[in-house]
């Protein structure tokens, strides 16, 4: 008992450290792990030694990782500026060595290009092979002013590559190059050094691909003509200065978050291994009732303590925005918590069934079997209320994130109920085992056929699932009972997930229609924030300049359709749009003229089709700029060229609903009446609902 008890204490202490990294929790985990190792060596029986040894090893590894992270946190907290300077120096040295290696590689390609054959296709093929990195490097062979061969991807204007080496800038990229001149032959080999947003969504320079830690996050670059500071790298190629670079050190809070995030992931993996090994150890045949019950409580308490939401940046499995059920508290805070809880309950039910068998009291068995048949379908449907489909639609991975936890929870419930049913009926009584899965299959097939608007099934449909549950609960004992329970659970989980996702589509469609008048408060605030940042600055004269202002603002990640237009009087100088929507530009132009004349911000609203667009006009040096923000609606599609601008963020998923304009305006209404037409839902407003 000593070794399992020590492992249990270590597991609880490690989970507490994940929730709140403190030295006390870490010390408790390390001490309990050492105690478990000693007890395992001296007192543990041979039967459960191996899983306990695995648990101790996993906890020891997790403790070492946590100690290292705790030391780094304490060191950074005591002297954040000093640690930041040290890491910045490391990154500058790493960049220097990286540029040295890259220039050496480019010069090797240039020397190889001297001996290329004259035939263009053969020369291009050999040049392409010599580059080694077609996405980030490029090579061009000139004879006088004539281009003879080229290969790779060039991110700069070839006319700017005039020196023997250097760095040239395009609107969103920095390119480093070398040149080899031999008589009338000139070979230029270039490599992408840095890509700024939104170009970094399409490709990344080799400075951005360098290894970095939690304390630093890339570089900022400046021309070599600027004066270098003490914390900047001034890179010189021979006697030719190329650029200045400074390592970016985030804020103290962001660095602490990064240190904790990486440590939590690694410690969490070790804790998960230890938890599984601990469960295997307590489920051995020699384990008593006290050990099994205590182990179950330890596992459930550990699941309740672990902050699963902290891992939401790693996977949507931990994201509360796609699954959250408040009624279950920590056990249903996200899909991962529900999956672990359900898996643990299923394992403990199977363990209890194996240990207790037919010794369950008959009265308890009758109550469990009857209550499961009566409330089982409603319990599964209640768990599915935590499903929240995202506005962009659900891919197959998200369907699995919803399905698997519900399937595990339903299987645990059905195994417990079937065990109780066999004890209530006796060993030789009951219906055929295949009856429950057969009825469940019928109910699953009928689900989309009898589904009613706006997202519910008829009352008699629940009876089918009650019969399916009853078929499993009241079946004769068999070695295939677990398979039958899992089959019914999988069909039930798939059905309720489909129904909940469909109801979520209806809610998204209704929210879309009700918000057509204008962007919501959040969109208004973000538009005003960008207007304040632009007011009084130099007027962007190109679409690239407007794109740069957009991607550096909070609007770029908010999902609102936005258009930026530069005006000089009533003449459009440049325009950029993140999504295709048309407005009356006479109204927009009048707002720009008024803002330029009054030298103050002008706000108005215009209409585009059936939705309203908020127009903010701000005076700038050389004219005025207008910021158009539209509501988030599927009436506005995505720009066909957005992906080429690095703005596309939507996945290849089926849209959750579609809308079509039927009239010129949408009448105000408190509710939308839905009707079903050949497998699709249609609303009574002049838009079509989810389909």
């Amino acid at each position: 008992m000593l070794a399992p008890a020590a492992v249990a204490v270590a597991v609880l202490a490690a989970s507490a450290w994940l929730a709140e990294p403190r030295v006390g929790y870490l010390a408790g985990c390390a001490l309990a792990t050492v105690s478990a190792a000693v007890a395992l060596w001296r007192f543990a029986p041979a039967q459960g030694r191996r899983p306990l040894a695995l648990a101790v090893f996993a906890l020891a590894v997790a403790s070492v990782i946590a100690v290292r992270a705790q030391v780094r946190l304490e060191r950074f907290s005591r002297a954040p500026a000093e640690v930041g300077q040290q890491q910045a120096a490391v990154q500058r040295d790493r960049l220097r060595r990286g540029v040295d290696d890259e220039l050496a590689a480019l010069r090797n390609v240039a020397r190889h290009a001297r001996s290329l054959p004259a035939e263009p296709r053969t020369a291009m093929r050999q040049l392409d092979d010599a580059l080694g990195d077609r996405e980030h490097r490029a090579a061009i062979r000139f004879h006088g002013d004539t281009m003879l061969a080229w290969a790779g991807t060039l991110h700069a204007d070839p006319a700017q590559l005039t020196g023997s080496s250097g760095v040239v800038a395009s609107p969103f990229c920095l390119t480093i190059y070398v040149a080899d001149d031999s008589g009338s032959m000139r070979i230029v080999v270039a490599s992408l050094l840095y890509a700024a947003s939104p170009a970094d969504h399409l490709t990344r320079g080799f400075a951005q691909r360098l290894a970095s830690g939690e304390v630093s996050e890339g570089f900022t670059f400046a021309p070599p003509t600027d004066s270098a500071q003490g914390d900047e790298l001034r890179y010189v190629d021979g006697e030719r200065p190329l650029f200045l670079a400074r390592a970016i050190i985030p804020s103290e809070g962001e660095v602490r978050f990064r240190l904790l995030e990486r440590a939590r992931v690694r410690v969490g993996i070790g804790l998960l291994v230890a938890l599984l090994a601990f469960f295997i150890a307590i489920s051995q045949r020699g384990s008593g009732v006290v050990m099994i019950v205590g182990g179950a409580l330890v596992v459930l308490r550990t699941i309740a303590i672990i902050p699963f939401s902290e891992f939401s940046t790693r996977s949507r499995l931990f994201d509360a925005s796609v699954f959250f059920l408040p009624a279950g508290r920590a056990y249903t805070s996200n899909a991962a918590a529900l999956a672990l809880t359900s898996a643990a309950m299923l394992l403990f039910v199977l363990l209890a069934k194996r240990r207790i068998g037919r010794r369950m009291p008959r009265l308890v068995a009758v109550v469990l079997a009857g209550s499961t048949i009566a409330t089982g379908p409603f319990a599964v449907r209640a768990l599915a209320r935590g499903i929240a489909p995202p506005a962009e639609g659900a891919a197959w991975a998200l369907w699995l994130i919803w399905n698997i936890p519900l399937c595990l929870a339903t299987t645990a419930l059905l195994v417990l109920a079937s065990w109780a049913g066999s004890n209530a009926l006796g060993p030789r009584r009951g219906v055929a085992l295949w009856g429950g899965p057969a009825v469940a299959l019928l109910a699953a097939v009928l689900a989309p056929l009898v589904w009613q608007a706006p997202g519910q099934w008829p009352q008699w449909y629940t009876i089918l699932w009650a019969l399916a549950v009853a078929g499993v609960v009241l079946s004769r004992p068999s070695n295939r009972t677990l398979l039958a329970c899992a089959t019914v659970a999988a069909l039930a989980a798939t059905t309720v997930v489909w129904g909940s996702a469909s109801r979520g589509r209806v809610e998204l469609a209704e929210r879309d229609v009700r918000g057509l008048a204008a962007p919501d408060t959040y969109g208004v605030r973000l538009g005003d924030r960008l207007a304040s940042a632009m007011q009084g600055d130099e007027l962007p004269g190109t679409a690239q300049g407007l794109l740069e202002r957009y991607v550096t603002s909070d609007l770029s990640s908010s999902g609102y359709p936005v258009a930026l237009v530069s005006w000089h009087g009533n003449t459009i100088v440049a325009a950029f749009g993140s999504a295709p929507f048309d407005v009356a530009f006479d109204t927009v132009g009048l707002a720009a003229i008024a803002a330029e004349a009054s030298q103050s911000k002008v706000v108005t609203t215009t209409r585009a089709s059936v939705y309203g667009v908020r127009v903010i006009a701000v005076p700038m040096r050389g004219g005025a700029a207008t910021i158009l923000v539209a509501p988030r609606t599927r009436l506005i599609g995505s720009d066909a060229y957005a992906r080429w601008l690095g703005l596309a963020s939507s996945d290849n998923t089926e849209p959750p609903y579609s809308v079509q304009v039927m009239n010129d305006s949408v009448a105000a209404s408190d509710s939308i009446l839905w009707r079903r037409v050949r497998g699709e839902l249609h609303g009574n407003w002049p838009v079509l609902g989810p389909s």
Side-chain angles (χ1 to χ4, degrees), residues 66-77 83 87 213-215 259 262 266:
V67 167
R68 182 173 178 269
Q70 194 76 47
V71 170
R72 298 181 70 186
L73 280 170
E74 294 296 331
R75 179 169 171 262
F76 181 79
S77 299
V83 174
Q87 291 298 315
E214 302 92 343
V215 181
L259 290 169
R262 182 170 296 186
R266 296 173 178 176

Side-chain angles (χ1 to χ4, degrees), residues 358-431:
R358 307 205 61 80
R359 296 193 300 273
M360 178 186 291
R362 190 177 183 86
L363 178 61
V364 174
V366 172
V367 172
L368 278 176
S371 60
T372 304
I373 295 174
T375 64
F378 300 101
V380 179
R381 191 177 300 179
L383 283 177
R385 295 184 189 277
I387 295 175
E392 67 273 13
W396 63 268
L398 195 54
W399 281 88
L400 290 179
I401 287 173
W402 291 329
N403 264 283
I404 292 175
L406 287 176
C407 182
L408 289 172
T410 309
T411 303
L413 179 64
L414 291 179
V415 169
L416 177 62
S418 66
W419 173 32
S422 64
N423 279 273
L425 294 176
R428 298 182 180 276
R429 298 179 181 177
V431 300

Side-chain angles (χ1 to χ4, degrees), residues 296-613:
L297 294 177
V298 168
V299 172
L300 293 177
R301 181 57 183 166
T302 301
I303 295 174
I305 294 175
I306 295 176
F308 290 102
S309 60
E310 297 293 339
F311 305 104
S312 59
T313 57
R314 301 284 178 166
S315 172
R316 302 189 83 171
L317 186 65
F318 305 93
D319 191 353
S321 66
V322 296
F323 185 90
F324 175 70
L325 187 63
R329 296 181 176 270
Y331 300 106
T332 57
S333 58
N334 48 52
L338 178 60
L340 285 177
T341 304
S342 303
M345 295 305 300
L346 175 59
L347 292 175
F348 282 120
V349 168
L350 291 173
L351 180 60
K353 181 181 178 182
R354 188 183 71 178
R355 293 297 182 85
I356 299 175
R358 307 205 61 80
R359 296 193 300 273
M360 178 186 291
R362 190 177 183 86
L363 178 61
V364 174
V366 172
V367 172
L368 278 176
S371 60
T372 304
I373 295 174
T375 64
F378 300 101
V380 179
R381 191 177 300 179
L383 283 177
R385 295 184 189 277
I387 295 175
E392 67 273 13
W396 63 268
L398 195 54
W399 281 88
L400 290 179
I401 287 173
W402 291 329
N403 264 283
I404 292 175
L406 287 176
C407 182
L408 289 172
T410 309
T411 303
L413 179 64
L414 291 179
V415 169
L416 177 62
S418 66
W419 173 32
S422 64
N423 279 273
L425 294 176
R428 298 182 180 276
R429 298 179 181 177
V431 300
L433 184 62
W434 57 266
V439 177
L441 179 61
L442 175 63
V445 171
L446 289 177
L449 302 178
V450 301
W451 197 63
Q452 299 174 346
Q456 59 189 12
W457 284 287
Q459 294 183 352
W460 61 264
Y461 181 72
T462 306
I463 300 176
L464 280 179
W465 284 109
L467 292 175
V469 173
V472 173
V473 174
L474 303 179
S475 63
R476 288 188 293 271
S478 171
N479 294 331
R480 297 184 177 88
T481 299
L482 178 59
L483 177 60
C485 293
T487 301
V488 174
L491 292 170
T494 303
T495 301
V496 297
V497 166
W498 179 85
S500 298
S502 299
R503 282 193 296 271
R505 293 182 176 194
V506 170
E507 294 174 1
L508 289 172
E510 291 184 349
R511 195 179 310 146
D512 187 333
V513 173
R514 291 193 176 97
L516 288 177
D520 56 24
T521 305
Y522 183 57
V524 170
R525 185 162 58 247
L526 293 182
D528 290 340
R529 189 180 302 173
L530 176 58
S532 300
M534 294 180 64
Q535 187 168 351
D537 287 352
E538 188 70 29
L539 180 71
T542 63
Q544 292 174 340
L546 293 173
L547 172 61
E548 183 176 1
R549 299 307 297 258
Y550 171 73
V551 298
T552 55
S553 70
D554 295 330
L555 274 172
S556 61
S557 59
S558 63
Y560 293 95
V562 176
L564 302 179
V565 185
S566 295
W567 298 82
H568 182 69
N570 60 353
T571 303
I572 296 178
V573 177
F576 160 77
S578 66
F581 61 94
D582 296 325
V583 297
F585 270 91
D586 52 351
T587 303
V588 179
L590 290 175
I593 293 173
E596 186 176 2
S598 63
Q599 289 298 300
S600 62
K601 183 174 71 174
V602 175
V603 180
T604 185
T605 301
T606 186
R607 297 195 68 81
S609 182
V610 297
Y611 52 87
V613 177

